[in-house]
């Protein structure tokens, strides 16, 4: 099969299309013929080697963290899917590789694609929708009437998180650039902060939850908008010892993460705020719940551009510009 692989870690153009063996099927695996795959900033960070301490992938590595396609065959222990089913998933972090013609995915990481989505739309959803769900529903336990600030509202996670938070009954503020203010407002945000002209930290107060996906400066300033008892949840770091424990990392890495998150943890505790780091995990069960919201029109995927398989390097470069509205997708077949 054709696959986009990296031979080593590099900041730019560190990958190429090559022939690779089709994946072997485990007893509880589903073999998928990939039709489309989402492109995430995570893919670019993995290519650069930013996660090699916590996710020590074996090189050469097939990149890719979102898949939409059709079931080709199933392992003997699979009970939920059969050949011909249209499915999508964010594969387990240890088994990525959606930039390819085929991938084997554990059946518990899969869900059926909602009937109102194209393959490209489906491929745009798994990673970002699961991230939004695990932050807002699982970690924050966001409730009706609460106030949430979602940074980078025009990005992949932001666009879905705004829609999900509104569905949960929250009052939603978000940040974006001047060009995207009206576009993000149309997604349902109650307050839109133009970060080029306004300072969110001086305008927003007494919020219950902040979803941070930006750098350390924004992370620290976000403490100012939260009320005591509020939650600052970051998907961009710094990671915490709890994350190290969750991944089963070594004692040394756990101490490193304790050091990396020490400053923000201390600042948060002084204000009576809880800081946590979320690195999303695969979950077919949660994706099925999201699928129900997609089917009913509560959540709508937003695809910025679709690239052909031969232009994955260009797709990654576009994602790294930070100017993507929604998601970038690659059509594989």
């Amino acid at each position: 099969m054709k696959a986009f692989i990296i031979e080593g870690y590099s900041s730019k153009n560190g990958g190429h299309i090559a022939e690779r063996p089709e994946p072997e099927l485990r007893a509880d695996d589903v073999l998928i013929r990939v039709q489309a795959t989402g492109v995430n900033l995570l893919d670019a960070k993995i290519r650069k080697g930013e996660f090699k301490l916590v996710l020590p992938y074996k090189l050469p590595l097939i990149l890719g963290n979102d898949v939409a396609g059709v079931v080709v065959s199933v392992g003997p222990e699979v009970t939920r899917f059969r050949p011909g089913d249209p499915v999508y998933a964010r594969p387990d972090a240890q088994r990525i590789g959606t930039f390819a013609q085929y991938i084997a995915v554990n059946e518990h990481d899969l869900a059926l694609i909602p009937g109102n989505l194209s393959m490209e739309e489906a491929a745009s959803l798994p990673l970002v929708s699961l991230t939004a769900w695990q932050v807002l529903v699982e970690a924050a336990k966001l409730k009706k009437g609460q106030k949430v600030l979602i940074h980078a509202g025009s990005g992949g996670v932001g666009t879905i998180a705004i829609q999900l938070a509104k569905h949960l009954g929250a009052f939603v503020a978000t940040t974006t650039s001047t060009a995207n203010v009206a576009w993000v407002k149309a997604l349902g945000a109650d307050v839109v902060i133009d970060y080029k002209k306004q300072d969110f930290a001086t305008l927003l107060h007494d919020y219950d939850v902040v979803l941070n996906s930006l750098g350390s400066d924004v992370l620290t300033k976000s403490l100012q908008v939260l009320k005591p008892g509020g939650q600052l949840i970051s998907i961009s770091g710094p990671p915490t010892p709890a994350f190290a424990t969750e991944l089963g990392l070594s004692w040394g890495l756990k101490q490193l993460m304790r050091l990396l998150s020490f400053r923000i943890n201390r600042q948060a505790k002084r204000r009576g705020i809880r800081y946590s780091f979320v690195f999303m995990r695969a979950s077919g069960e949660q994706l099925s719940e999201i699928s129900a919201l997609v089917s009913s029109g509560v959540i709508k995927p937003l695809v910025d551009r679709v690239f052909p398989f031969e232009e994955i390097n260009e797709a990654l470069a576009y994602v790294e510009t930070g100017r993507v509205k929604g998601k970038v997708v690659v059509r594989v077949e």
Side-chain angles (χ1 to χ4, degrees):
M1 68 174 183
K2 287 185 171 64
F4 181 87
I5 66 171
I6 58 170
E7 307 277 358
Y9 296 118
S10 173
S11 59
K12 289 184 180 180
N13 297 320
H16 62 276
I17 294 173
E19 288 289 336
R20 301 294 292 172
E22 287 187 17
E24 295 182 1
L25 210 59
R26 300 176 186 176
D28 54 356
D29 277 352
V30 172
L31 182 64
I32 303 167
R33 184 174 73 250
V34 182
Q35 297 198 357
T37 176
V39 183
N40 300 281
L41 190 58
L42 175 62
D43 300 306
K45 290 184 175 183
I46 290 173
R47 182 171 68 170
K48 291 177 182 178
E50 293 186 18
F51 290 94
K52 60 186 178 182
L53 282 178
V54 296
L55 293 171
Y57 292 116
K58 182 180 178 181
L59 299 169
L61 172 69
I62 303 174
L63 286 179
N65 287 271
D66 278 314
V67 62
V70 176
V71 175
V72 175
S73 59
V74 300
E77 295 180 7
V78 172
T79 59
R80 299 171 56 233
F81 302 97
R82 60 185 179 182
D85 283 345
V87 293
Y88 66 153
R90 191 280 203 227
D92 183 87
Q94 303 293 339
R95 302 183 66 192
I96 67 171
T98 63
F99 292 177
Q101 291 178 311
Y102 295 91
I103 185 172
V105 179
N106 186 286
E107 74 161 326
H108 296 293
D109 298 339
L110 282 170
L112 291 171
I113 294 176
N116 58 338
L117 295 187
S118 67
M119 281 292 174
E120 289 80 11
E121 289 173 324
S124 75
L125 276 174
L127 186 142
V128 294
S129 64
L130 285 168
T131 300
W133 184 277
Q134 288 168 19
V135 170
L136 298 179
V137 177
E138 196 172 61
K141 295 179 174 57
L142 192 65
K143 297 178 179 63
K144 183 177 181 179
Q146 288 190 315
K147 295 164 66 176
V148 58
L149 167 60
I150 297 166
H151 283 296
S154 62
V157 173
T159 54
I160 302 301
I162 290 170
Q163 296 177 73
L164 179 58
K166 289 305 298 179
H167 169 68
L168 295 171
F171 180 90
V172 179
T174 191
T175 58
T176 192
S177 64
T178 307
N180 295 327
V181 168
W183 188 78
V184 170
K185 185 80 172 177
L187 292 177
D190 298 289
V191 174
V192 181
I193 304 295
D194 179 352
Y195 69 79
K196 292 190 174 183
K197 298 178 180 179
Q198 301 168 298
D199 181 359
F200 73 89
T202 62
L203 296 172
L204 306 178
H205 304 284
D206 297 320
Y207 273 66
D208 298 280
V209 179
V210 173
L211 192 174
N212 177 64
S213 56
L214 302 173
S216 58
D217 289 348
V218 172
L219 182 71
T220 301
K221 285 181 68 175
S222 294
L223 292 170
Q224 300 175 43
V225 312
L226 286 162
K227 64 184 183 182
Q231 299 181 71
L232 174 56
I233 305 173
S234 180
I235 61 173
S236 56
T240 60
F243 168 67
T245 300
E246 183 182 328
L247 260 64
L249 301 178
S250 68
W251 180 88
L253 285 175
K254 186 175 182 179
Q255 300 315 305
L256 173 61
M257 292 179 189
R258 188 183 306 280
L259 179 63
L260 291 172
S261 59
F262 175 79
R263 183 169 177 268
I264 189 65
N265 262 320
R266 182 178 61 180
Q267 292 173 321
K269 286 178 181 177
R270 284 175 176 172
R271 292 175 172 265
I273 293 164
R274 183 164 64 88
Y275 169 73
S276 58
F277 171 72
V278 170
F279 187 85
M280 65 79 54
R281 68 185 189 281
S283 172
E285 181 181 356
Q286 291 179 351
L287 192 56
S288 293
E289 294 191 62
I290 293 164
S291 295
L293 297 179
V294 173
S295 294
S296 63
V298 170
I299 290 178
K300 297 178 181 178
L302 296 155
V303 177
D304 185 318
R305 288 181 62 180
V306 179
F307 286 80
F309 188 61
E310 295 75 19
E311 295 181 10
I312 290 179
N313 271 315
E314 289 81 357
L316 285 164
Y318 182 51
V319 167
E320 288 188 280
T321 65
R323 296 194 295 269
V324 177
K325 293 168 66 174
K327 280 292 293 290
V328 170
V329 172
V330 165
R331 184 182 293 114
V332 178
E333 183 177 302

